[in-house]
Amino acid sequence: PYMEPHHLIPISAYADFDWSLDVEANICCLCSNCHNCLHYGGSEDRNLILEKLYHNRKLRLKKAGIGISLANLKKYY
């Protein structure tokens, strides 16, 4: 088993948030295929992965002081 870490909200978006994005709540473990899809895949496949990750992480992100909607998350991709 091989996993790759991925910041759900990209670190490059740090200026848009009051809190650090480099927190556990914002880091997901992904297989290589899903990670590559988020960076280089088509929008349909990328959106399916983003929706699943967002729904699994939104409460943890909120507890970490990071509020974001799914629509706004997709804008970073």
Side-chain angles (χ1 to χ4, degrees):
Y2 174 74
M3 303 300 283
E4 299 177 354
H6 176 76
H7 287 91
L8 183 57
I9 303 168
I11 292 293
S12 60
Y14 75 93
D16 296 339
F17 296 87
D18 295 330
W19 302 99
S20 175
L21 295 177
D22 198 19
V23 295
E24 185 178 340
N26 190 39
I27 300 172
C28 304
C29 290
L30 301 173
C31 72
S32 182
N33 290 335
C34 289
H35 196 200
N36 284 329
C37 183
L38 285 178
H39 286 286
Y40 311 111
S43 61
E44 186 175 322
D45 292 332
R46 184 175 52 243
N47 284 337
L48 288 173
I49 295 170
L50 282 174
E51 288 170 13
K52 183 174 182 178
L53 291 173
Y54 175 78
H55 290 296
N56 286 332
R57 291 285 173 148
K58 66 182 176 182
L59 294 178
R60 282 190 254 178
L61 287 168
K62 189 173 182 177
K63 286 181 183 179
I66 303 170
I68 189 167
S69 68
L70 178 58
N72 284 337
L73 176 63
K74 288 180 179 181
K75 291 178 185 178
Y76 291 114
Y77 289 83

